[in-house]
Amino acid sequence: MGKVEVLHGDITKVAADAIVNAANEALLPGGGVSGAIHRAAGPELAEACRQVAPCPTGEARITPGFRLPARYVIHTVGPVWRGGGANEAVLLERAYRSSLALAKEYALRTVAFPSISTGIYGYPLEEAAPIALKVLLEEADGFDALYMVAFDERTFQVYHSLLTKLLHGCSEG
Ligand code: AR6
């Protein structure tokens, strides 16, 4: 089984086969991780996004990585948090799964994710992390490595301690 790891840092520096972008449905360069990815990839990325847009919430699109160390960028759209009663959990899980389905289609072996929806889109981190890690652990078999790249300290701590707990639980089963 491929490994799942939580990393602390900037996803634009990660030399995975693909990094995932927490995008908006129009695939326009925004703020947050999306802004950072577009700045690091160069202006060609926005043009490539234009050609594959729009991307409904929960779906994913793929483009080259241009000036990034990653070969590809997989753009996915997580849900905007509306209090929890608007299918957010299903849509968040779908965003992770669609991204990995696309990665498999392209025979990619390593994929790095940011914490989708937990920034500008307001999804509570403690509720998003179990969904994200559940999908990564379930799908790890099809990859060499799946990374969750946490930019800030709190995000790192939440994912890191949860992953440790989940792996510890699994090893007993
Ligand atoms: N590397 C890794 N993670 C990062 C980086 C980075 N360089 N920069 C920020 N993050 P957000 P969302 C973290 O807001 O909530 C955009 O405008 C950040 O700390 O980027 O899905 C899009 O265009 C947080 O933990 O994404 C959409 O309109 C996580 O990435 C909207 O924001 C996600 O925060 C999407 O909002």
Side-chain angles (χ1 to χ4, degrees), residues 1-65:
M1 158 161 161
K3 60 181 178 174
V4 175
E5 272 182 37
V6 178
L7 308 179
H8 195 182
D10 179 351
I11 201 167
T12 66
K13 309 277 194 252
V14 176
D17 291 338
I19 62 169
V20 175
N21 179 19
N24 52 63
E25 290 191 340
L27 299 186
L28 292 170
V33 71
S34 167
I37 289 172
H38 277 272
R39 277 192 302 277
E44 297 92 339
L45 184 61
E47 175 54 26
C49 281
R50 207 182 53 74
Q51 291 172 25
V52 295
C55 180
T57 302
E59 292 188 16
R61 302 284 184 268
I62 192 165
T63 66

Side-chain angles (χ1 to χ4, degrees), residues 9-11 22-24 30-34 36 115 117-121 149 151-152:
D10 179 351
I11 201 167
N24 52 63
V33 71
S34 167
S115 178
S117 284
T118 67
I120 292 163
Y121 279 1
V149 186
F151 196 54
D152 59 283

Side-chain angles (χ1 to χ4, degrees), residues 65-164:
F66 299 102
R67 289 173 220 172
L68 290 165
R71 253 201 304 149
Y72 292 97
V73 179
I74 294 172
H75 307 264
T76 193
V77 182
V80 175
W81 180 254
R82 296 197 164 87
N87 219 23
E88 290 96 328
V90 169
L91 292 169
L92 184 64
E93 176 165 345
R94 200 174 287 160
Y96 281 95
R97 286 203 198 277
S98 315
S99 301
L100 290 172
L102 206 43
K104 273 192 188 163
E105 233 179 276
Y106 279 71
L108 307 183
R109 302 301 308 164
T110 55
V111 182
F113 283 87
S115 178
I116 296 165
S117 284
T118 67
I120 292 163
Y121 279 1
Y123 206 118
L125 183 56
E126 281 76 7
E127 297 192 38
I131 295 171
L133 289 182
K134 182 187 80 156
V135 176
L136 299 197
L137 289 167
E138 282 176 8
E139 302 282 344
D141 257 350
F143 297 90
D144 291 342
L146 297 176
Y147 302 105
M148 172 54 68
V149 186
F151 196 54
D152 59 283
E153 181 65 29
R154 189 170 90 88
T155 299
F156 176 75
Q157 287 307 333
V158 167
Y159 279 98
H160 182 72
S161 59
L162 181 61
L163 181 63
T164 307

